[in-house]
Coordinates of all heavy atoms in Angstrom, one line a residue:
M73 N 2.5 -4.7 -25.7 CA 2.7 -4.5 -24.3 C 1.3 -4.9 -23.6 O 0.3 -4.6 -24.1 CB 3.0 -3.0 -24.0 CG 3.2 -2.7 -22.6 SD 3.8 -1.0 -22.4 CE 5.5 -1.3 -22.5
S74 N 1.5 -5.5 -22.4 CA 0.3 -5.9 -21.7 C 0.2 -5.3 -20.3 O 1.2 -5.1 -19.7 CB 0.4 -7.4 -21.5 OG -0.6 -7.9 -20.7
F75 N -1.0 -4.9 -19.9 CA -1.2 -4.3 -18.6 C -2.3 -5.1 -18.0 O -3.4 -5.4 -18.6 CB -1.7 -2.8 -18.7 CG -0.7 -1.9 -19.4 CD1 -0.8 -1.6 -20.7 CD2 0.3 -1.4 -18.7 CE1 0.1 -0.8 -21.4 CE2 1.3 -0.5 -19.3 CZ 1.1 -0.3 -20.6
Q76 N -2.1 -5.5 -16.8 CA -3.1 -6.4 -16.1 C -3.5 -5.8 -14.7 O -2.6 -5.3 -14.0 CB -2.5 -7.8 -15.9 CG -2.1 -8.4 -17.2 CD -1.4 -9.8 -17.0 OE1 -1.2 -10.2 -15.9 NE2 -1.1 -10.4 -18.1
F77 N -4.7 -5.9 -14.4 CA -5.3 -5.4 -13.1 C -6.1 -6.4 -12.5 O -6.8 -7.2 -13.1 CB -6.1 -4.1 -13.4 CG -5.4 -3.0 -14.0 CD1 -5.4 -2.8 -15.4 CD2 -4.8 -2.0 -13.2 CE1 -4.7 -1.8 -16.0 CE2 -4.1 -1.0 -13.8 CZ -4.1 -0.9 -15.2
N78 N -5.9 -6.6 -11.2 CA -6.8 -7.5 -10.4 C -7.4 -6.7 -9.3 O -6.8 -6.4 -8.2 CB -5.9 -8.6 -9.8 CG -5.4 -9.5 -10.8 OD1 -6.1 -10.0 -11.7 ND2 -4.1 -9.9 -10.7
S79 N -8.6 -6.3 -9.5 CA -9.3 -5.4 -8.6 C -10.8 -5.4 -8.9 O -11.2 -5.5 -10.1 CB -8.8 -4.0 -8.6 OG -9.5 -3.1 -7.8
S80 N -11.6 -5.2 -7.9 CA -13.1 -5.1 -8.2 C -13.4 -3.7 -8.8 O -14.5 -3.6 -9.3 CB -13.9 -5.4 -7.0 OG -13.5 -4.4 -6.0
G81 N -12.5 -2.8 -8.7 CA -12.8 -1.4 -9.2 C -12.0 -1.2 -10.5 O -11.1 -1.9 -10.9
M82 N -12.5 -0.3 -11.3 CA -11.9 0.1 -12.6 C -10.6 0.9 -12.3 O -10.6 1.6 -11.3 CB -12.8 0.9 -13.5 CG -14.0 0.0 -14.0 SD -13.3 -1.2 -15.2 CE -14.2 -2.6 -14.6
P83 N -9.6 0.8 -13.2 CA -8.4 1.6 -13.0 C -8.8 3.1 -13.1 O -9.7 3.5 -13.9 CB -7.5 1.2 -14.2 CG -8.4 0.4 -15.1 CD -9.6 0.0 -14.4
G84 N -8.1 3.9 -12.4 CA -8.3 5.3 -12.4 C -7.5 6.1 -13.4 O -6.8 5.5 -14.2
D85 N -7.5 7.4 -13.4 CA -6.8 8.2 -14.3 C -5.3 8.0 -14.3 O -4.6 8.0 -15.3 CB -7.1 9.7 -14.1 CG -8.5 10.1 -14.4 OD1 -9.2 9.3 -15.2 OD2 -9.0 11.1 -13.9
D86 N -4.8 7.7 -13.1 CA -3.3 7.5 -12.9 C -2.9 6.2 -13.7 O -1.9 6.2 -14.3 CB -2.9 7.4 -11.5 CG -3.0 8.7 -10.7 OD1 -3.0 9.8 -11.4 OD2 -3.0 8.7 -9.5
A87 N -3.7 5.2 -13.6 CA -3.4 4.0 -14.3 C -3.5 4.2 -15.8 O -2.6 3.7 -16.5 CB -4.4 2.9 -13.9
F88 N -4.4 4.9 -16.3 CA -4.5 5.2 -17.8 C -3.3 6.0 -18.2 O -2.7 5.8 -19.3 CB -5.8 5.9 -18.1 CG -6.9 4.9 -18.3 CD1 -7.8 4.6 -17.2 CD2 -7.1 4.2 -19.4 CE1 -8.8 3.7 -17.3 CE2 -8.2 3.3 -19.6 CZ -9.0 3.0 -18.5
E89 N -2.9 7.0 -17.3 CA -1.7 7.8 -17.7 C -0.4 6.9 -17.7 O 0.4 7.0 -18.6 CB -1.5 8.9 -16.6 CG -0.3 9.8 -16.8 CD -0.5 10.7 -18.1 OE1 -1.6 11.0 -18.4 OE2 0.5 11.0 -18.7
L90 N -0.3 6.0 -16.8 CA 0.8 5.1 -16.8 C 0.8 4.2 -18.0 O 1.9 4.0 -18.7 CB 0.8 4.2 -15.5 CG 1.9 3.2 -15.4 CD1 3.3 3.8 -15.3 CD2 1.7 2.3 -14.2
M91 N -0.4 3.6 -18.4 CA -0.4 2.8 -19.6 C -0.1 3.6 -20.8 O 0.5 3.1 -21.7 CB -1.8 2.2 -19.7 CG -2.1 1.1 -18.7 SD -3.7 0.3 -18.9 CE -4.9 1.5 -18.6
S92 N -0.6 4.8 -20.9 CA -0.3 5.6 -22.1 C 1.2 5.9 -22.2 O 1.8 6.0 -23.3 CB -1.1 6.9 -22.1 OG -0.6 7.9 -21.1
R93 N 1.9 6.2 -21.1 CA 3.3 6.4 -21.1 C 4.1 5.2 -21.6 O 5.0 5.2 -22.4 CB 3.9 6.8 -19.8 CG 3.4 8.2 -19.4 CD 4.0 8.6 -18.0 NE 3.4 9.8 -17.6 CZ 3.6 10.3 -16.4 NH1 4.4 9.6 -15.5 NH2 3.1 11.4 -16.0
G94 N 3.7 4.0 -21.1 CA 4.3 2.8 -21.5 C 4.0 2.5 -23.0 O 4.9 2.1 -23.7
G95 N 2.8 2.7 -23.4 CA 2.4 2.5 -24.8 C 3.2 3.5 -25.7 O 3.5 3.1 -26.8
H96 N 3.4 4.7 -25.2 CA 4.2 5.7 -26.0 C 5.6 5.2 -26.2 O 6.2 5.3 -27.3 CB 4.2 7.0 -25.4 CG 5.1 8.0 -26.0 ND1 4.9 8.6 -27.2 CD2 6.3 8.5 -25.6 CE1 5.9 9.4 -27.5 NE2 6.7 9.3 -26.5
L97 N 6.2 4.6 -25.2 CA 7.6 4.1 -25.3 C 7.6 3.0 -26.3 O 8.6 2.8 -27.0 CB 8.1 3.7 -23.9 CG 8.4 4.8 -22.9 CD1 8.7 4.2 -21.6 CD2 9.5 5.7 -23.4
L98 N 6.6 2.2 -26.3 CA 6.6 1.0 -27.2 C 6.3 1.4 -28.6 O 6.9 0.9 -29.6 CB 5.5 0.0 -26.7 CG 5.3 -1.2 -27.6 CD1 6.5 -2.2 -27.5 CD2 4.0 -1.9 -27.2
T99 N 5.3 2.3 -28.8 CA 4.8 2.5 -30.2 C 5.2 3.9 -30.7 O 5.2 4.1 -32.0 CB 3.3 2.5 -30.2 OG1 2.8 3.6 -29.4 CG2 2.7 1.2 -29.7
G100 N 5.6 4.8 -29.9 CA 6.0 6.2 -30.3 C 4.7 7.0 -30.6 O 4.8 8.1 -31.0
K101 N 3.5 6.5 -30.3 CA 2.3 7.2 -30.5 C 2.0 8.2 -29.4 O 2.5 8.1 -28.3 CB 1.1 6.2 -30.7 CG 1.3 5.2 -31.8 CD 1.4 5.9 -33.1 CE 1.6 4.8 -34.2 NZ 1.8 5.4 -35.5
D102 N 1.2 9.2 -29.7 CA 0.8 10.2 -28.8 C 0.1 9.7 -27.6 O -0.8 8.8 -27.7 CB -0.1 11.2 -29.6 CG -0.6 12.4 -28.7 OD1 0.3 13.1 -28.2 OD2 -1.8 12.5 -28.5
T103 N 0.4 10.2 -26.4 CA -0.2 9.6 -25.2 C -1.7 10.0 -25.1 O -2.5 9.1 -24.6 CB 0.5 10.2 -23.9 OG1 0.5 11.6 -23.9 CG2 1.9 9.7 -23.8
A104 N -2.1 11.1 -25.6 CA -3.5 11.4 -25.6 C -4.3 10.4 -26.5 O -5.4 10.0 -26.1 CB -3.8 12.8 -26.2
A105 N -3.8 10.0 -27.6 CA -4.4 9.0 -28.5 C -4.5 7.7 -27.8 O -5.5 7.0 -27.8 CB -3.7 8.9 -29.8
L106 N -3.4 7.4 -27.0 CA -3.4 6.1 -26.3 C -4.5 6.1 -25.2 O -5.2 5.1 -25.1 CB -2.0 5.8 -25.7 CG -1.0 5.3 -26.7 CD1 0.4 5.7 -26.4 CD2 -1.1 3.8 -26.7
I107 N -4.5 7.1 -24.4 CA -5.6 7.2 -23.4 C -7.0 7.1 -24.0 O -7.8 6.3 -23.5 CB -5.4 8.5 -22.5 CG1 -4.2 8.4 -21.6 CG2 -6.7 8.7 -21.6 CD1 -3.9 9.7 -20.9
R108 N -7.2 7.9 -25.0 CA -8.5 7.9 -25.7 C -8.9 6.5 -26.1 O -10.0 6.0 -25.9 CB -8.5 8.8 -26.8 CG -9.8 8.9 -27.6 CD -9.8 10.0 -28.7 NE -8.7 9.8 -29.7 CZ -7.6 10.5 -29.8 NH1 -7.4 11.6 -28.9 NH2 -6.7 10.3 -30.7
N109 N -8.0 5.8 -26.8 CA -8.3 4.5 -27.3 C -8.3 3.4 -26.3 O -9.0 2.4 -26.4 CB -7.3 4.1 -28.5 CG -7.6 5.0 -29.7 OD1 -8.7 5.1 -30.1 ND2 -6.6 5.7 -30.2
L110 N -7.5 3.5 -25.2 CA -7.6 2.6 -24.1 C -9.0 2.7 -23.4 O -9.6 1.6 -23.2 CB -6.5 2.9 -23.0 CG -5.1 2.5 -23.3 CD1 -4.1 3.2 -22.4 CD2 -4.9 1.0 -23.1
R111 N -9.5 3.9 -23.3 CA -10.8 4.0 -22.7 C -11.9 3.5 -23.7 O -12.9 2.9 -23.2 CB -11.1 5.5 -22.4 CG -10.2 6.0 -21.2 CD -10.6 7.4 -20.7 NE -9.8 7.9 -19.7 CZ -9.9 7.6 -18.4 NH1 -10.8 6.7 -18.0 NH2 -9.1 8.1 -17.5
R112 N -11.7 3.7 -25.0 CA -12.7 3.2 -26.0 C -12.7 1.7 -25.9 O -13.7 1.0 -26.0 CB -12.3 3.7 -27.4 CG -12.6 5.1 -27.6 CD -12.2 5.6 -29.0 NE -12.8 4.9 -30.0 CZ -12.3 4.7 -31.2 NH1 -11.1 5.3 -31.6 NH2 -12.9 4.0 -32.2
A113 N -11.5 1.0 -25.8 CA -11.4 -0.4 -25.7 C -12.1 -0.9 -24.5 O -12.8 -2.0 -24.5 CB -10.0 -0.9 -25.7
L114 N -12.0 -0.3 -23.3 CA -12.6 -0.6 -22.1 C -14.2 -0.5 -22.3 O -14.9 -1.4 -21.9 CB -12.2 0.2 -20.9 CG -12.8 0.0 -19.6 CD1 -12.6 -1.5 -19.1 CD2 -12.3 0.9 -18.6
A115 N -14.6 0.5 -22.9 CA -16.1 0.7 -23.1 C -16.6 -0.4 -24.1 O -17.7 -0.9 -23.8 CB -16.3 2.1 -23.7
A116 N -15.8 -0.7 -25.1 CA -16.2 -1.8 -26.0 C -16.3 -3.1 -25.3 O -17.3 -3.9 -25.6 CB -15.3 -1.8 -27.2
A117 N -15.4 -3.4 -24.4 CA -15.4 -4.7 -23.7 C -16.6 -4.7 -22.8 O -17.2 -5.8 -22.6 CB -14.1 -4.8 -22.9
A118 N -17.0 -3.6 -22.2 CA -18.2 -3.6 -21.3 C -19.5 -3.9 -22.0 O -20.4 -4.4 -21.4 CB -18.3 -2.2 -20.6
E119 N -19.5 -3.6 -23.3 CA -20.7 -3.9 -24.1 C -20.8 -5.3 -24.7 O -21.9 -5.7 -25.1 CB -20.8 -2.9 -25.3 CG -20.9 -1.4 -24.8 CD -20.9 -0.5 -26.0 OE1 -20.9 -0.9 -27.2 OE2 -21.0 0.7 -25.7
E120 N -19.7 -6.0 -24.7 CA -19.6 -7.3 -25.4 C -20.0 -8.4 -24.4 O -19.6 -8.4 -23.2 CB -18.3 -7.6 -26.0 CG -17.9 -6.7 -27.1 CD -18.9 -6.9 -28.3 OE1 -19.3 -8.0 -28.6 OE2 -19.2 -5.9 -29.0
T121 N -20.7 -9.5 -24.8 CA -21.1 -10.6 -24.0 C -19.9 -11.2 -23.3 O -20.0 -11.5 -22.1 CB -21.8 -11.7 -24.8 OG1 -22.9 -11.0 -25.5 CG2 -22.2 -12.8 -24.0
Y122 N -18.8 -11.4 -24.0 CA -17.6 -12.1 -23.4 C -16.6 -11.1 -22.8 O -15.6 -11.5 -22.3 CB -17.0 -13.0 -24.4 CG -17.9 -14.1 -24.8 CD1 -18.5 -14.1 -26.0 CD2 -18.2 -15.2 -23.9 CE1 -19.4 -15.1 -26.4 CE2 -19.1 -16.2 -24.3 CZ -19.7 -16.1 -25.6 OH -20.6 -17.1 -25.9
G123 N -16.9 -9.8 -22.9 CA -16.0 -8.9 -22.2 C -14.7 -8.6 -23.0 O -13.7 -8.3 -22.4
V124 N -14.7 -8.7 -24.3 CA -13.5 -8.4 -25.1 C -13.8 -7.3 -26.1 O -14.8 -7.4 -26.8 CB -13.1 -9.7 -25.9 CG1 -11.9 -9.4 -26.7 CG2 -12.8 -10.9 -25.0
G125 N -13.0 -6.2 -26.0 CA -13.2 -5.1 -26.9 C -11.9 -4.8 -27.7 O -10.8 -5.0 -27.2
F126 N -12.1 -4.4 -28.9 CA -11.0 -4.1 -29.8 C -11.2 -2.7 -30.3 O -12.3 -2.2 -30.7 CB -11.0 -5.0 -31.0 CG -10.9 -6.5 -30.7 CD1 -12.1 -7.2 -30.6 CD2 -9.7 -7.1 -30.4 CE1 -12.0 -8.6 -30.3 CE2 -9.7 -8.4 -30.1 CZ -10.8 -9.2 -30.0
V127 N -10.0 -2.0 -30.4 CA -10.0 -0.7 -31.1 C -8.8 -0.6 -31.9 O -7.7 -0.9 -31.5 CB -9.9 0.5 -30.0 CG1 -9.7 1.8 -30.7 CG2 -11.2 0.5 -29.2
V128 N -9.0 -0.3 -33.2 CA -7.9 -0.1 -34.1 C -8.0 1.4 -34.7 O -9.0 1.6 -35.4 CB -7.8 -1.1 -35.3 CG1 -6.7 -0.8 -36.2 CG2 -7.7 -2.5 -34.7
A129 N -7.2 2.3 -34.2 CA -7.3 3.7 -34.6 C -6.0 4.4 -34.3 O -5.2 3.9 -33.4 CB -8.4 4.4 -33.8
D130 N -5.7 5.5 -35.0 CA -4.5 6.3 -34.7 C -3.2 5.5 -34.7 O -2.3 5.8 -34.0 CB -4.7 7.0 -33.3 CG -5.9 7.9 -33.2 OD1 -6.2 8.6 -34.2 OD2 -6.6 7.8 -32.2
G131 N -3.2 4.5 -35.6 CA -2.0 3.7 -35.7 C -1.8 2.7 -34.5 O -0.6 2.3 -34.3
L132 N -2.8 2.5 -33.8 CA -2.7 1.6 -32.6 C -3.7 0.5 -32.7 O -4.8 0.6 -33.3 CB -3.1 2.4 -31.3 CG -2.2 3.5 -31.0 CD1 -2.9 4.5 -30.0 CD2 -0.9 3.0 -30.4
A133 N -3.4 -0.7 -32.1 CA -4.3 -1.8 -32.0 C -4.4 -2.1 -30.5 O -3.4 -2.5 -29.9 CB -3.8 -3.0 -32.8
I134 N -5.5 -1.9 -29.9 CA -5.7 -2.1 -28.5 C -6.8 -3.1 -28.2 O -7.9 -3.0 -28.8 CB -6.0 -0.8 -27.8 CG1 -4.8 0.2 -28.0 CG2 -6.2 -1.0 -26.3 CD1 -5.0 1.6 -27.4
T135 N -6.6 -4.0 -27.4 CA -7.5 -5.0 -26.9 C -7.7 -4.9 -25.4 O -6.8 -4.7 -24.7 CB -7.1 -6.5 -27.3 OG1 -6.8 -6.6 -28.6 CG2 -8.1 -7.5 -26.9
C136 N -9.0 -5.0 -25.0 CA -9.3 -5.0 -23.6 C -10.1 -6.3 -23.3 O -11.0 -6.6 -24.0 CB -10.1 -3.8 -23.2 SG -10.6 -3.8 -21.4
V137 N -9.6 -7.0 -22.3 CA -10.3 -8.3 -21.9 C -10.8 -8.1 -20.5 O -9.9 -7.9 -19.6 CB -9.4 -9.5 -22.0 CG1 -10.1 -10.7 -21.6 CG2 -8.8 -9.6 -23.5
A138 N -12.1 -8.1 -20.3 CA -12.6 -7.9 -19.0 C -13.7 -8.9 -18.7 O -14.9 -8.7 -18.9 CB -13.3 -6.4 -18.9
P139 N -13.3 -10.1 -18.4 CA -14.3 -11.2 -18.2 C -15.3 -10.9 -17.1 O -15.0 -10.3 -16.1 CB -13.4 -12.4 -17.7 CG -12.0 -12.1 -18.1 CD -11.9 -10.6 -18.1
R140 N -16.6 -11.2 -17.4 CA -17.7 -10.8 -16.6 C -17.6 -11.5 -15.2 O -18.1 -10.9 -14.2 CB -19.0 -11.1 -17.2 CG -19.1 -10.5 -18.6 CD -20.3 -9.5 -18.6 NE -20.5 -9.0 -19.9 CZ -20.1 -7.8 -20.3 NH1 -19.5 -7.0 -19.4 NH2 -20.3 -7.3 -21.5
D141 N -17.1 -12.7 -15.1 CA -17.1 -13.4 -13.9 C -15.8 -13.3 -13.1 O -15.5 -14.2 -12.3 CB -17.4 -14.9 -14.2 CG -16.4 -15.6 -15.1 OD1 -15.6 -14.8 -15.7 OD2 -16.5 -16.8 -15.2
S142 N -15.0 -12.3 -13.4 CA -13.7 -12.1 -12.8 C -13.4 -10.7 -12.4 O -14.0 -9.8 -13.0 CB -12.7 -12.6 -13.8 OG -11.4 -12.4 -13.3
D143 N -12.5 -10.5 -11.5 CA -12.1 -9.1 -11.1 C -10.8 -8.8 -11.8 O -10.0 -8.0 -11.3 CB -11.9 -9.0 -9.6 CG -13.2 -9.0 -8.9 OD1 -14.2 -8.6 -9.5 OD2 -13.2 -9.3 -7.7
T144 N -10.6 -9.4 -13.0 CA -9.4 -9.1 -13.7 C -9.7 -8.2 -15.0 O -10.8 -8.2 -15.5 CB -8.6 -10.3 -14.2 OG1 -9.5 -11.1 -15.1 CG2 -8.3 -11.2 -13.1
L145 N -8.7 -7.5 -15.4 CA -8.8 -6.6 -16.5 C -7.5 -6.6 -17.2 O -6.4 -6.4 -16.6 CB -9.2 -5.2 -16.0 CG -9.4 -4.1 -17.1 CD1 -10.5 -4.4 -18.0 CD2 -9.6 -2.8 -16.4
N146 N -7.4 -6.8 -18.5 CA -6.2 -6.9 -19.3 C -6.3 -6.0 -20.5 O -7.3 -6.0 -21.2 CB -5.9 -8.3 -19.7 CG -5.7 -9.2 -18.6 OD1 -4.8 -9.2 -17.9 ND2 -6.7 -10.1 -18.4
F147 N -5.2 -5.2 -20.7 CA -5.1 -4.4 -21.9 C -3.9 -4.9 -22.7 O -2.8 -5.1 -22.1 CB -4.9 -2.9 -21.6 CG -6.1 -2.2 -21.0 CD1 -6.3 -2.2 -19.7 CD2 -7.0 -1.7 -21.9 CE1 -7.4 -1.5 -19.1 CE2 -8.1 -1.0 -21.3 CZ -8.3 -0.9 -20.0
L148 N -4.0 -5.0 -24.0 CA -2.9 -5.3 -24.9 C -2.8 -4.1 -25.9 O -3.7 -3.7 -26.5 CB -3.2 -6.6 -25.7 CG -3.4 -7.8 -24.8 CD1 -3.9 -9.0 -25.7 CD2 -2.2 -8.2 -24.1
V149 N -1.6 -3.6 -25.9 CA -1.3 -2.4 -26.8 C -0.2 -2.7 -27.8 O 0.8 -3.2 -27.4 CB -0.9 -1.2 -25.9 CG1 -0.6 0.0 -26.8 CG2 -1.9 -0.9 -24.9
A150 N -0.5 -2.4 -29.0 CA 0.5 -2.6 -30.1 C 0.3 -1.5 -31.1 O -0.7 -0.9 -31.3 CB 0.3 -4.0 -30.7
G151 N 1.4 -1.3 -31.9 CA 1.3 -0.4 -33.0 C 0.6 -1.1 -34.1 O 0.7 -2.3 -34.3
D152 N -0.2 -0.4 -34.9 CA -1.0 -1.0 -36.0 C -0.1 -1.3 -37.2 O 0.7 -0.5 -37.5 CB -2.1 -0.1 -36.3 CG -3.0 -0.6 -37.4 OD1 -3.1 -1.8 -37.6 OD2 -3.7 0.2 -38.0

């Protein structure tokens, strides 16, 4: 499942809640684990030169793509 944002600001708690609900429907995984790992992927992307972060944990594979020269943010969520 893919979530895309076009904004100069980061998504708020409501956006993470929505992504976790959608991810739960897709994977059947716990929404708390989804929120935790979505935030971890975002933090990992912020540390990388090209703005790509990966998290594989709790039976989930989450990628966050946050290009430095763009106001876009993409999350990809899949069951591990």
Side-chain angles (χ1 to χ4, degrees):
M73 177 173 274
S74 172
F75 300 95
Q76 301 174 358
F77 299 90
N78 291 316
S79 173
S80 60
M82 288 292 134
D85 290 340
D86 289 342
F88 279 94
E89 182 68 30
L90 179 63
M91 289 188 290
S92 73
R93 289 181 189 171
H96 171 73
L97 290 173
L98 175 72
T99 65
K101 301 298 180 184
D102 181 58
T103 56
L106 281 148
I107 288 175
R108 180 176 57 252
N109 290 308
L110 285 162
R111 290 188 185 278
R112 286 177 59 205
L114 178 59
E119 294 177 5
E120 294 297 324
T121 301
Y122 297 105
V124 179
F126 303 97
V127 172
V128 177
D130 301 316
L132 298 162
I134 298 176
T135 303
C136 177
V137 180
R140 303 245 185 254
D141 60 348
S142 172
D143 287 337
T144 62
L145 179 63
N146 299 288
F147 289 94
L148 304 169
V149 177
D152 182 23

